Every structure is written in structure tokens, then in C-alpha cells.
């Protein structure tokens, strides 16, 4: 229920988390799964069945989270599900630290892309996420995603009147402590390059994980002033298609319980 309104709506997004991550973010909130500590091995056929079970529960979409290292399997599973007549869109939720060819291989299969744009300075991507070359990789990946889904499309739910995205790209940026200038540079880059063809989602839910003594500069929550400044900047340069978080969102409630439910 915690994704952007056009993704979750009131019915929710059918989220499938994949274990393991190709980045090493020191501030990761989901270490239980990103470090491969919690997992269950399943077959591709079982993954397809999970897609249909989520559709039957009323999910607005199939939300594939951190599936970057499983793209060949994901591609096969989506093809099988579509051949069996699944009706809801597929959403690829990614850090954007991807090979360009991997993104190209999803062309025609993924309906919605939900990429992060974490950094615009490689020194930060190396220090905080152990991800050399992140900036250029993310720029190239997002450009390919927009090439595949150049304009957003929506469906209006008859009962609720909600506009739920069926195609498009929503780029997320998680504002980190002391990195307001970087956040503004990212927003400017995205808006200058893509304008209203994408949605920009600005997040303030950064939550220190209690293990950042070696990184004191990010061992705190983002202040209201920092976040408000980023949102105001986006509005000033003309961003209309965007999302902001309201109120106190930097809480433990944004950390899922990885209990293998539904697997």
C-alpha cells in the first residue's frame, strides 16, 4: 500500500521482492532481503502462479522489486503469464544500476518502470552504495525505459474513480541528509531531459539503520526544511507530474516484514 497513489491506489500493488541486490547501500533498510539473509527458492512456474494469485487478490499491478539480477527468469515468467491471459500491468522496481542490454531485453514485457535515481556524483555512489559507474548506468537505463514507455497512460477505476497507471515511467529520488544540492541537480536533470513525459517522485523516508557510525554525515533523518526546499525547487522549475510525501514518513512502518508471505 506504500507506493505512489497512481500505483497502489486503494487496492494495493502486488509486490514481489527478490532476494539479493547488486548494490551495497550502507543505509539499506531492507538488509534482511537485500543481503540474501531471507529467501525461499521457487521455480519459474511458481513465480507465474504468484502473479495470478496477486491478480485474484485485486492488486493493481505486479510490482517486481530488486529483480535486477533475475531478469532472464523474470522475462520468462512475464511471457508465460501474458500467454495465460493475465490482465494487470507489470512494473519493474529497480535501483537503475543495470546494464543497458538488460533493460532492452524487457522491451514489450514491462508496462511501468519505477527506477531510482540515487546519485548524480559517482563519489557518493561509491562511498555509500559501493556502486562505481552508477550515474552513467542509471542515466542510460532510465533513457531506455522512457524510450520504451515514452508517455504515461492511466485507467480510471469505475467504483473509486482513481486514476491507476497502466504504462509509463516514475523516477524516484530518496533525499539523503546533507545532499539537498544533489537532489536538486537530479530533479533538474530529469525535468530538463524528459519534461512531463515522466513522473518524478521525491521521497523523504530515509531512515538511519543504526549501523552508520562510519558515516556520521548521513546518520540522521532528513529535516523538514531540507525536504521542503527540494519540493519547492521542483515546483519552481515547472515540475507538474510529480509526487511528494506529506507528514512524518521516516518511520519503521516503511520497512516491510519479510516473512515469506504468499511465497
Amino acid at each position: 500500500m506504500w507506493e505512489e497513489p497512481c500505483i497502489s491506489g486503494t487496492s494495493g500493488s502486488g509486490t514481489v521482492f527478490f532476494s539479493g541486490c547488486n548494490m551495497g547501500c550502507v543505509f539499506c533498510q531492507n538488509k534482511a532481503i537485500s543481503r540474501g539473509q531471507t529467501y525461499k527458492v521457487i521455480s519459474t512456474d511458481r513465480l507465474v502462479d504468484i502473479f495470478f494469485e496477486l491478480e485474484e487478490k485485486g492488486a493493481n499491478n505486479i510490482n517486481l522489486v530488486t529483480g535486477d539480477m533475475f531478469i532472464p527468469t523474470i522475462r520468462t515468467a512475464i511471457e508465460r503469464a501474458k500467454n495465460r491471459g493475465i490482465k494487470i500491468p507489470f512494473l519493474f522496481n529497480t535501483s537503475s544500476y543495470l546494464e543497458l542490454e538488460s533493460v532492452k531485453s524487457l522491451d514489450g514485457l514491462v508496462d511501468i518502470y519505477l527506477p531510482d535515481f540515487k546519485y548524480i556524483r559517482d563519489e557518493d555512489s561509491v562511498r555509500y552504495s559501493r556502486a562505481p559507474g552508477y550515474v552513467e548506468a542509471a542515466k542510460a537505463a532510465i533513457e531506455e525505459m522512457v524510450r520504451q514507455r515514452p508517455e504515461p497512460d492511466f485507467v480510471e477505476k469505475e467504483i473509486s474513480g482513481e486514476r491507476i497507471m497502466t504504462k509509463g515511467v516514475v523516477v524516484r529520488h530518496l533525499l539523503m541528509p546533507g545532499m539537498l544540492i544533489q537532489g536538486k541537480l537530479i530533479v533538474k536533470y530529469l525535468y530538463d531531459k524528459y519534461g512531463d513525459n515522466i513522473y518524478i517522485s521525491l521521497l523523504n523516508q530515509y531512515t538511519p539503520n543504526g549501523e552508520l557510525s562510519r558515516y556520521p554525515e548521513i546518520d540522521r533523518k532528513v529535516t523538514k526544511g531540507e525536504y521542503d526546499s527540494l519540493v519547492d525547487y521542483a515546483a519552481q522549475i515547472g515540475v507538474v507530474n510529480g509526487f511528494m510525501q506529506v507528514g512524518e514518513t521516516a518511520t519503521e512502518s516503511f520497512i516491510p516484514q519479510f516473512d515469506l508471505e504468499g511465497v
Side-chain angles (χ1 to χ4, degrees):
M1 305 302 296
W2 303 333
E3 310 290 35
E4 286 74 6
C6 67
I7 292 171
S8 286
T10 55
S11 299
S13 180
T15 309
V16 180
F17 285 87
F18 291 83
S19 186
C21 181
N22 61 352
M23 298 184 74
C25 301
V26 298
F27 52 86
C28 183
Q29 298 177 12
N30 299 335
K31 288 189 298 181
I33 193 165
S34 68
R35 302 293 189 264
Q37 299 166 358
T38 300
Y39 64 90
K40 180 179 180 180
V41 178
I42 63 171
S43 67
T44 305
D45 286 340
R46 174 62 190 138
L47 181 58
V48 175
D49 289 341
I50 289 172
F51 295 163
F52 281 95
E53 289 165 11
L54 289 167
E55 183 181 44
E56 290 170 5
K57 290 179 180 179
N60 288 316
N61 45 63
I62 303 298
N63 186 341
L64 307 166
V65 184
T66 62
D68 302 18
M69 297 187 295
F70 297 87
I71 285 177
T73 299
I74 286 172
R75 190 170 59 241
T76 299
I78 294 176
E79 289 172 345
R80 292 181 185 177
K82 291 196 172 188
N83 287 338
R84 284 173 50 182
I86 198 165
K87 296 181 176 60
I88 57 178
F90 281 88
L91 184 156
F92 194 69
N93 189 331
T94 172
S95 68
S96 303
Y97 195 41
L98 291 166
E99 292 284 352
L100 181 58
E101 292 304 314
S102 295
V103 185
K104 288 181 177 180
S105 74
L106 296 170
D107 193 2
L109 297 174
V110 169
D111 304 290
I112 304 165
Y113 283 101
L114 187 59
D116 291 337
F117 198 154
K118 295 180 182 291
Y119 307 102
I120 206 162
R121 297 183 302 215
D122 264 325
E123 57 265 35
D124 291 330
S125 70
V126 172
R127 175 167 171 77
Y128 301 119
S129 295
R130 300 166 190 158
Y134 175 85
V135 177
E136 291 308 312
K139 286 181 176 180
I142 292 170
E143 184 171 4
E144 171 61 18
M145 293 172 193
V146 178
R147 185 196 69 78
Q148 292 179 25
R149 298 300 179 197
E151 294 182 354
D153 198 7
F154 300 83
V155 64
E156 185 170 317
K157 293 291 188 77
E158 291 184 8
I159 298 176
S160 65
E162 298 171 300
R163 293 178 74 245
I164 301 298
M165 182 174 279
T166 56
K167 293 180 182 179
V169 179
V170 179
V171 184
R172 286 174 165 173
H173 175 65
L174 173 67
L175 179 62
M176 292 177 60
M179 298 192 187
L180 176 59
I181 293 176
Q182 179 160 217
K184 290 180 178 180
L185 289 172
I186 287 172
V187 170
K188 179 171 174 53
Y189 168 79
L190 291 171
Y191 190 65
D192 284 350
K193 188 168 182 65
Y194 301 113
D196 295 330
N197 290 332
I198 66 169
Y199 278 73
I200 300 174
S201 182
L202 303 177
L203 309 179
N204 70 346
Q205 66 193 55
Y206 177 86
T207 305
N209 59 15
E211 300 178 8
L212 295 172
S213 59
R214 293 176 54 196
Y215 309 91
E217 69 275 17
I218 61 169
D219 194 12
R220 65 172 176 84
K221 294 181 180 179
V222 170
T223 68
K224 183 178 185 299
E226 287 172 322
Y227 184 67
D228 287 349
S229 180
L230 180 60
V231 172
D232 289 346
Y233 175 77
Q236 288 167 9
I237 67 172
V239 175
V240 176
N241 290 345
F243 298 100
M244 59 179 287
Q245 292 179 310
V246 179
E248 177 62 36
T249 58
T251 66
E252 295 297 321
S253 65
F254 278 82
I255 302 175
Q257 297 296 315
F258 297 111
D259 54 7
L260 301 179
E261 178 187 359
V263 179

